[in-house]
């Protein structure tokens, strides 16, 4: 029998969301307060090692948890470091030899420790806090309030005031005594909740509070994001292909410097525009991305930083305008940039710029270019192609039109009934191949789990029975019958057989 304080170990039938799409609930606190014990309680098993010794947990541990109608990932972290450790030990562990401030003046050891977050918290714990939707700040009710707890509370308030923080006072086995133990933690600025990770006391109330916060976050996020959402367009490509000229043409003014000298643009520059339909877009002009070997041989720190900012611009964008030069067509570096775009799951519009430099153009020339681009960049065969001349403004408006179309496709949801109809027709036309032992894959049903990019989950008898060729076939049929031009789509294969965790993504 499961107690009221034990999460449901058997997920509801509709629980179909892949791990990476679930909201994160991160447990954070100083060492040896019982974080791993609480993690085991919430995920319903002995996933984390529990020892009465600080510092056992070093990496992040993830586990799915179900409570009522809610499903989320629980993250166990290492203990937070504090200044109660010697400053020298902290600096040696982080291998910090010299730290310089913004004005070039060397910082003191303590100033450097304050300035650099890893001096306050383990790197793994920091990453877990960053990705969390809800934070469980765990303290030790038996040990009482200590300086380390106050430092962590100050750090959370200062840096993560936008996140929901639940203060859980652990090791409060007695309900009556637990209230007294928890009372002294009011000074941290959060409402303390007495619990016991070992006995389960209070963890049901904790889970109710976590789920209520997740529901509130989901509701506010869905409303605010739709109201305030502005798609970002990163304009990327090799140096001197006309990225800044395209941005200036889209904006209607000389917002960035245009020069025939490659490398003029250094920073990733954000500019907001309004499309013909009234939709706002955020344009990101980036530095040209040269080959890694060329950047390294040049020895320019500025260029290294500029290229890194350009790559980060791809990560934070919604749609990428991949600009290539008409005379050069697709180069090896263009292919590498395209691979990065597909890997990040971003929408894409391929812009063939400086089209005016091609002599004797006709319809056959465009057809040849289309074939050449599709052949060399097969993994972006879903991306629309625009032929433009930024200097004269020719076809620049079509870039925004295609970007708007791509963004709508990235945000589109396909009805479950329509999706399963498409899948069943694809299965009937070409069933999964049989193995040598006579086994064949079966698809029970499919559902769309996410957008941006559209992500579909296929529930099957055994994911291993669907080879990569068949998965590509299914994606091709899904695109053929359901569309989604301009955006990558992800197909996740989930086994329903017990004990079989085989899965794959495409």
């Amino acid at each position: 029998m499961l107690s009221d304080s034990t999460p449901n170990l058997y997920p509801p039938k509709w629980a179909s969301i892949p791990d990476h799409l679930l909201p994160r609930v991160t447990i954070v606190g100083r060492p040896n307060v019982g974080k791993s014990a609480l993690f085991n309680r919430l995920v319903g098993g002995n996933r984390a090692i529990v020892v009465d010794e600080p510092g056992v947990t070093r990496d992040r541990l993830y586990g799915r948890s179900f409570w009522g109608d809610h499903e989320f990932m629980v993250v166990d972290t290492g203990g937070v470091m504090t200044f109660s450790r010697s400053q020298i030990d902290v600096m040696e562990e982080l291998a910090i030899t010299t730290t310089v401030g913004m004005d070039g003046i060397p910082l003191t050891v303590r100033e450097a420790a304050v300035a650099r977050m890893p001096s306050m918290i383990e790197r793994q714990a920091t990453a877990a806090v960053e990705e969390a939707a809800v934070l469980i700040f765990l303290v030790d009710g038996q040990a009482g309030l200590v300086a380390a707890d106050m430092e962590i509370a100050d750090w959370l308030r200062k840096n993560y005031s936008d996140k929901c923080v639940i203060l859980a006072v652990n090791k409060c086995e007695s309900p009556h005594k637990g209230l007294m133990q928890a009372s002294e933690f009011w000074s941290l600025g959060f409402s303390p909740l007495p619990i016991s990770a070992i006995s389960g006391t209070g963890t049901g109330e904790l889970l109710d509070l976590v789920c209520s916060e997740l529901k509130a976050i989901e509701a506010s996020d869905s409303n605010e994001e739709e109201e305030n959402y502005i798609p970002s367009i990163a304009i990327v490509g090799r140096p001197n292909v006309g990225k800044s000229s395209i941005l200036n043409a889209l904006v209607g003014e000389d917002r960035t410097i245009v020069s025939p000298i490659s490398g003029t643009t250094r920073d990733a520059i954000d500019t907001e525009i309004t499309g013909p339909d009234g939709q706002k877009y955020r344009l990101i002009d980036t530095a040209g991305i040269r080959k890694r070997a060329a950047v390294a041989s040049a020895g320019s720190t500025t260029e290294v930083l500029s290229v890194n900012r350009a790559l980060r611009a791809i990560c934070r964008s919604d749609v990428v305008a991949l600009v290539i030069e008409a005379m050069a067509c697709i180069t090896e570096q263009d292919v590498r940039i395209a691979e990065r775009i597909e890997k990040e799951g971003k929408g894409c519009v391929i812009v063939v710029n400086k089209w005016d430099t091609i002599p004797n153009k006709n319809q056959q020339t465009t057809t040849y270019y289309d074939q050449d681009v599709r052949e060399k960049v097969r993994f972006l065969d879903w991306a629309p192609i625009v032929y433009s001349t930024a200097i004269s403004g020719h076809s620049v408006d079509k870039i925004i039109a295609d970007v708007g179309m791509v963004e709508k496709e990235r945000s589109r949801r396909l009805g479950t009934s329509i999706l399963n109809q498409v899948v069943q027709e694809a299965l009937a036309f070409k069933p999964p191949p049989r193995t040598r032992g006579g086994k064949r894959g079966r698809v029970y049903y499919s559902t769309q789990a996410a957008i941006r990019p559209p992500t579909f989950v296929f529930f099957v008898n055994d994911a291993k029975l669907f080879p990569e060729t068949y998965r590509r076939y299914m994606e091709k049929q899904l695109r053929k019958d359901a569309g989604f031009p301009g955006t990558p789509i992800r197909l996740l294969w989930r086994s329903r057989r017990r004990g079989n965790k085989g899965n794959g993504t495409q």
Side-chain angles (χ1 to χ4, degrees), residues 255-276:
R255 185 64 58 90
T256 57
I257 299 172
V258 177
S259 168
I261 303 173
S262 62
T264 303
T265 302
R266 293 295 192 184
D267 287 316
I269 301 169
D270 289 17
T271 306
E272 193 170 298
I273 65 168
T274 302

Side-chain angles (χ1 to χ4, degrees), residues 254-329:
D254 292 337
R255 185 64 58 90
T256 57
I257 299 172
V258 177
S259 168
I261 303 173
S262 62
T264 303
T265 302
R266 293 295 192 184
D267 287 316
I269 301 169
D270 289 17
T271 306
E272 193 170 298
I273 65 168
T274 302
D277 59 351
Q279 172 66 54
K280 291 184 177 180
Y281 297 95
R282 183 174 292 107
L283 300 177
I284 310 172
D285 186 22
T286 64
I289 304 174
R290 291 202 296 165
K291 291 182 180 180
R292 185 179 301 177
V295 175
S297 63
S300 171
T301 303
T302 304
E303 183 175 7
V304 171
L305 294 174
S306 298
V307 170
N308 286 337
R309 290 192 186 105
L311 295 176
R312 286 200 298 270
I314 295 176
C315 296
R316 66 187 177 95
S317 68
D318 297 290
V319 182
V320 178
L322 174 56
V323 184
I324 64 176
E325 189 178 3
M327 288 295 289
C329 199

